[in-house]
Amino acid sequence: MGVEGGPLKNSSFAPSLAPDKLSEAFEHSITWEDDLWRADPVDVPEVHAKARRKFNDLVTTVTSGRGFHVQERILLFHGQSGAGKTHLVRALRTATHRTGQAYFGYAQMTPDVSNYADFYLRRLVHSLEKPYDPDRFGESGLSRLTNKLVLDSGVISAADLDTLRDATLDDMQLARLILRLADDIVASENFQTRELDINIVRALLYLQRRDPRIDQRIRQYLHGRQLTPIALEAVCALDPNSGEDRSFEIIAALGALVWTVERAALVFCIDQVEDLRFFDNSEERFQRAVRDLIQIANRLTNAIIIISCLEDFYGQVRGLVAQSYIDRIEKSGPVLLRESRTPEEARLIISRRLAHQAEISGGGMSFPDASQFFGPQFFEEFAGLSTRRLLEHAQTRIREATATDQDDRDSDEAAAPKTSFISTLAQALGQAVGFGGGDDEPTSTMSAVQYREMWERFANESEAEMPTDDQELVDVLSAALQLARDEWGRAIDVTVKRLELGDDLPAFDLTVRHRTGFASDVRVFLCNRPTQGGGLKRQLDKVLTAMQGKPSFMLRASDFPPNKKNQTAQAFRKFRDGGGRQLLVPIPEWERMMTVREFTAHHRGDAGMVQWLEGTKPLSSLLSIVHLLRLDLLGRSVPRLVQKDMDDPQGSLDGFTGDTAAAATGEFRDRSGSQDPANDDDVPLSMILDENGTYGSSILSGREIGARNRPVSLNKSILKRHAAFLGGSGSGKTTLALSLIEQLLLRGVPAVLIDRKGD
């Protein structure tokens, strides 16, 4: 099939969606580290099936308790650029986290590292701070580990756990309690299978306080750093980090806890190893990096190591690395990840992306067979290309074949002969690698990729730490909001105005305007005081006075306290009743804001910087930024929650706490792999409501109670689900239901009404 004509234009399955929207199905052909922590909705398990089986078999062996007898716990994945190495690693993490079989650590070998053990420890802790569940998100891996430690140990009573979490204790009293609880845990029968580092047990117990001041010190401790005398006062149950092997000891301690509390494997992957060649003595660096990986495998029988690198780089360094290292790396047999896709793999990849695009477009599109859409010869023609090149050419084919007649008439080249097949392929390949053409598009694309690589390296080398002063945190957030605005070009206008409410309550007013017409004006409070001793309660009391009827957000760097019948919980309920929302901004997100600010400051004014910001949007993936700027209304992934907020049964809809899942892009999965939410609680509020809808495009359901009296409208597509109207007698349930049905009938949607009064 040539480019001109063919089934794509003439098929009855041609979509009604605009060509630029359809072509988005083939975007994101490169997997970046930021993508690693969430499931890939377009993954095709048949690609690299051998490597997946090998890894899964090893995980099963290790989690069954036979890891002690298995020496082949180092896997080498190698292949050409574009073979899908990082994509495979993402799929392996997703699979093992769905089943709870592993905790996954990941490190890109991009920074200039002098001590690889220290680097591995930092990257492991960084990975554990990411949401554990790749589908529904929620708690981080580290939170999951510490929660299972205290809930499943069988040695901590409910009374002791309540005291640890909520009692008013000074630093010394807290230390004594943690010392006693840690001793009980280590001495208990449940924890006798592995020798535990009691200091790491103590550190995880400290995290149960949900105190940002303590959390930050524990994070530094888990990084193997020495705490200053002042910092150590808050966590004085911990012994100093000392000894040359301290990084290995902490990694081994975390791995032992992973096994003890969950009988899970600790997987650690180093990726993009070929980037070592950008430094002097790359062979020596590779040997030191591998030496420390072998050390981890030797210390942990539940450790699985993955080395992912380009085939030619491994061939370059292999002959210069000690034979004993080669024997360990290759004992399980290196796995070659082939770059070329078979015709069947190509069809599966294209089909999955078309189906996903149909899903996220509201179900109005259907592509029963990709061969009918592209034509039967497409996959035969492009068999042998890498996944990346295949996607690029599929996108080119769609853009050309779905061009409108008007576009053809307006084009200066309308009368020119159609591009040949070979020319089209060469253009697609040239744009991907920066060859050919004198136009600016390939250059800017290449520049964006270069900036992304520079960003990954900068982020990995960054040592940004969350400030201890809350006023400084407000400065960090204010700068991040302005940078996030720049990520969307002229689509958003953002104004931040600091409020003077005292040093104990940092706050600012945030005004947001979208070019679509949406506008919001909210008040933002930062409440990082500990719950113990009434510090958070005093902040809450001041917040309630300072809200002054405005919609408000309350931000916190540690978990909000669980629902109880105490005064703090009552104050939270008053805050929510007054239109307030709670938003968790964990420490890694604060550090991401600081890192992006520093990176953009280094490259301000550089050519390509604007394109990188708008293309990558490094801040717009943060939950706090999405909520505050309402980026879900601009097509950003809609946050969806797992943790219920206090006693609010609608916590999963309100967007108060937890982490993001790509609800707007259809990335819902249950354990069976289904793309649909398990129940309606999984649907985010911003997907149900249509805040900018008009009477013709949405369903009017009522008006807000209060001074604003704004109309509340529903997205029509959400009404394809079951719905229930709950309320007391005389509250208007039947009236609301009949109103919605009437509006649907006026739009030509049929309805069957059965016994509307229940008689």
Side-chain angles (χ1 to χ4, degrees):
M1 183 185 73
V3 173
E4 61 274 15
L8 185 59
K9 270 194 174 181
N10 302 326
S11 170
S12 61
F13 299 106
S16 59
L17 195 67
D20 60 330
K21 290 295 183 182
L22 179 60
S23 69
E24 290 177 3
F26 306 102
E27 296 284 1
H28 313 299
S29 60
I30 299 176
T31 301
W32 303 96
E33 181 177 344
D34 288 344
D35 303 322
L36 201 76
W37 318 113
R38 62 182 185 273
D40 184 359
V42 294
D43 179 47
V44 177
E46 289 81 358
V47 176
H48 302 316
K50 178 183 176 182
R52 297 178 193 237
R53 285 194 303 269
K54 192 162 194 171
F55 174 79
N56 291 334
D57 290 346
L58 181 55
V59 170
T60 300
T61 299
V62 168
T63 55
S64 67
R66 292 175 287 159
F68 185 84
H69 305 287
V70 178
Q71 296 181 348
E72 302 89 348
R73 287 183 288 108
I74 299 179
L75 299 177
L76 173 64
F77 296 151
H78 62 105
Q80 296 300 318
S81 176
K85 297 181 294 298
T86 306
H87 177 94
L88 173 63
V89 171
R90 178 185 185 182
L92 299 182
R93 180 189 187 270
T94 295
T96 54
H97 277 225
R98 280 177 177 163
T99 58
Q101 289 181 291
Y103 286 71
F104 212 102
Y106 178 81
Q108 291 185 349
M109 304 300 286
T110 52
D112 189 359
V113 174
S114 59
N115 187 315
Y116 283 101
D118 292 348
F119 174 66
Y120 293 158
L121 174 60
R122 293 196 304 271
R123 300 311 297 172
L124 174 61
V125 173
H126 173 80
S127 301
L128 293 178
E129 290 174 329
K130 299 299 182 180
Y132 184 87
D133 191 326
D135 302 303
R136 299 164 62 91
F137 281 24
E139 66 180 353
S140 69
L142 197 59
S143 294
R144 175 185 171 102
L145 186 60
T146 182
N147 288 335
K148 286 184 175 291
L149 173 69
V150 299
L151 295 177
D152 298 344
S153 67
V155 296
I156 297 182
S157 67
D160 278 340
L161 187 55
D162 285 343
T163 301
L164 173 63
R165 288 174 170 174
D166 299 320
T168 301
L169 304 171
D170 61 30
D171 293 339
M172 190 56 65
Q173 290 172 325
L174 177 59
R176 291 194 185 99
L177 175 62
I178 285 179
L179 288 170
R180 175 172 66 81
L181 295 179
D183 289 343
D184 291 343
I185 289 173
V186 172
S188 68
E189 182 179 354
N190 296 347
F191 289 82
Q192 292 305 306
T193 57
R194 294 286 177 93
E195 182 178 347
L196 300 181
D197 186 323
I198 196 168
N199 275 291
I200 302 305
V201 175
R202 294 168 182 167
L204 296 188
L205 289 175
Y206 266 116
L207 293 177
Q208 290 292 313
R209 295 291 281 183
R210 300 187 182 94
D211 183 341
R213 179 182 62 119
I214 290 177
D215 289 355
Q216 188 174 9
R217 288 159 174 77
I218 295 302
R219 190 167 188 263
Q220 292 173 344
Y221 191 84
L222 292 178
H223 280 178
R225 298 177 183 174
Q226 291 286 1
L227 300 179
T228 65
I230 295 178
L232 190 59
E233 289 178 0
V235 289
C236 53
L238 302 178
D239 295 334
N241 276 323
S242 60
E244 295 182 358
D245 289 344
R246 187 55 182 157
S247 293
F248 286 121
E249 290 172 356
I250 296 176
I251 293 173
L254 292 171
L257 282 169
V258 163
W259 175 260
T260 303
V261 303
E262 217 165 345
R263 289 187 69 85
L266 181 67
V267 181
F268 190 78
C269 172
I270 60 170
D271 193 12
Q272 297 186 13
V273 180
E274 61 275 3
D275 280 2
L276 292 176
R277 63 189 172 192
F278 296 122
F279 306 109
D280 296 334
N281 305 320
S282 59
E283 296 86 358
E284 179 185 345
R285 288 173 181 265
F286 179 76
Q287 184 158 269
R288 286 192 286 115
V290 170
R291 177 199 64 196
D292 288 351
L293 290 174
I294 293 172
Q295 178 81 283
I296 294 172
N298 288 340
R299 290 177 181 240
L300 279 173
T301 59
N302 64 318
I304 297 174
I305 305 298
I306 298 175
I307 300 173
S308 173
C309 68
L310 287 181
E311 182 180 6
D312 58 351
F313 176 77
Y314 182 69
Q316 168 193 333
V317 300
R318 185 182 185 279
L320 302 174
V321 174
Q323 186 60 43
S324 60
Y325 291 177
I326 297 298
D327 292 342
R328 287 170 171 80
I329 293 173
E330 299 184 359
K331 191 167 185 65
S332 65
V335 180
L336 175 62
L337 305 181
R338 298 192 179 278
E339 178 186 17
S340 58
R341 303 275 69 84
T342 67
E344 177 60 15
E345 288 174 339
R347 187 187 66 79
L348 290 171
I349 290 170
I350 298 298
S351 297
R352 182 69 197 98
R353 290 192 171 241
L354 289 175
H356 179 64
Q357 191 67 18
E359 291 167 5
I360 66 177
S361 299
M365 303 173 63
S366 176
F367 303 106
D369 187 345
S371 296
Q372 295 183 46
F373 188 77
F374 278 94
Q377 301 303 315
F378 179 87
F379 306 108
E380 294 292 340
E381 290 176 356
F382 292 99
L385 290 181
S386 69
T387 302
R388 188 178 304 169
R389 304 298 180 240
L390 177 70
L391 295 175
E392 288 165 351
H393 188 67
Q395 187 177 57
T396 300
R397 177 67 60 87
I398 284 178
R399 286 174 175 171
E400 292 185 353
T402 57
T404 64
D405 294 338
Q406 183 63 43
D407 289 337
D408 292 338
R409 287 194 299 268
D410 292 342
S411 173
D412 293 337
E413 299 177 1
K418 292 287 186 179
T419 308
S420 68
F421 163 77
I422 296 299
S423 299
T424 302
L425 176 60
Q427 180 184 12
L429 295 176
Q431 289 183 358
V433 297
F435 293 159
D439 57 358
D440 293 334
E441 185 174 353
T443 303
S444 61
T445 302
M446 188 63 183
S447 177
V449 172
Q450 287 176 331
Y451 268 104
R452 186 65 184 255
E453 293 173 348
M454 290 167 57
W455 158 249
E456 296 282 8
R457 183 173 291 109
F458 186 89
N460 284 332
E461 293 176 346
S462 174
E463 296 185 357
E465 291 186 0
M466 172 183 157
T468 57
D469 183 76
D470 286 349
Q471 296 290 348
E472 292 182 28
L473 285 179
V474 172
D475 292 337
V476 171
L477 180 58
S478 299
L481 291 169
Q482 300 291 345
L483 283 171
R485 174 201 60 191
D486 296 341
E487 293 176 2
W488 293 85
R490 296 184 177 88
I492 310 177
D493 182 49
V494 176
T495 303
V496 177
K497 181 181 179 182
R498 292 287 290 268
L499 301 176
E500 299 298 332
L501 302 179
D503 293 338
D504 59 335
L505 185 61
F508 61 88
D509 281 339
L510 173 66
T511 302
V512 179
R513 300 283 186 273
H514 292 188
R515 65 182 174 191
T516 58
F518 169 79
S520 74
D521 186 9
V522 298
R523 185 155 289 178
V524 181
F525 303 95
L526 184 61
C527 297
N528 273 336
R529 294 296 173 90
T531 57
Q532 305 84 13
L536 181 58
K537 170 61 167 56
R538 289 189 290 273
Q539 281 189 314
L540 277 166
D541 291 340
K542 199 164 185 178
V543 165
L544 293 174
T545 302
M547 289 174 67
Q548 298 179 351
K550 295 190 66 170
S552 300
F553 280 91
M554 181 188 302
L555 276 56
R556 185 169 171 82
S558 287
D559 289 339
F560 287 89
N563 177 41
K564 291 190 176 182
K565 296 182 179 179
N566 54 27
Q567 292 183 349
T568 302
Q570 293 174 10
F572 270 125
R573 281 189 285 273
K574 290 180 181 178
F575 173 72
R576 291 196 306 277
D577 291 343
R581 297 187 177 187
Q582 297 160 213
L583 189 58
L584 176 66
V585 188
I587 294 175
E589 290 197 8
W590 291 107
E591 295 181 351
R592 163 62 74 93
M593 296 178 202
M594 298 172 64
T595 303
V596 173
R597 181 175 64 173
E598 186 177 355
F599 180 75
T600 54
H602 274 76
H603 298 282
R604 191 179 307 278
D606 289 0
M609 187 64 193
V610 173
Q611 293 91 328
W612 174 79
L613 267 178
E614 295 183 3
T616 306
K617 295 181 172 57
L619 290 172
S620 297
S621 60
L622 301 184
L623 175 71
S624 53
I625 301 297
V626 172
H627 274 299
L628 293 174
L629 299 184
R630 289 309 309 268
L631 300 182
D632 54 303
L633 300 179
L634 295 175
R636 203 59 177 172
S637 297
V638 180
R640 183 226 164 266
L641 313 181
V642 175
Q643 299 172 342
K644 300 296 183 185
D645 175 47
M646 303 290 287
D647 62 341
D648 182 5
Q650 297 299 316
S652 64
L653 300 182
D654 290 340
F656 291 169
T657 60
D659 275 291
T660 64
T665 57
E667 294 180 24
F668 289 118
R669 287 183 183 268
D670 57 23
R671 294 295 184 211
S672 66
S674 171
Q675 282 292 110
D676 293 325
N679 55 62
D680 284 343
D681 285 342
D682 290 338
V683 184
L685 184 63
S686 51
M687 186 174 178
I688 296 174
L689 300 181
D690 186 5
E691 297 194 13
N692 293 315
T694 63
Y695 180 73
S697 63
S698 59
I699 304 297
L700 181 66
S701 60
R703 291 187 175 274
E704 287 186 358
I705 297 175
R708 292 189 297 177
N709 196 32
R710 293 194 308 177
V712 176
S713 56
L714 299 178
N715 188 329
K716 285 191 297 186
S717 64
I718 203 66
L719 296 178
K720 296 174 184 177
R721 295 175 168 275
H722 295 292
F725 299 92
L726 308 179
S729 177
S731 60
K733 301 183 296 298
T734 303
T735 301
L736 174 59
L738 291 176
S739 172
L740 297 184
I741 290 172
E742 181 181 357
Q743 292 180 68
L744 291 172
L745 289 171
L746 290 172
R747 288 161 175 76
V749 178
V752 177
L753 190 61
I754 302 175
D755 195 9
R756 70 184 181 92
K757 284 296 186 181
D759 299 329

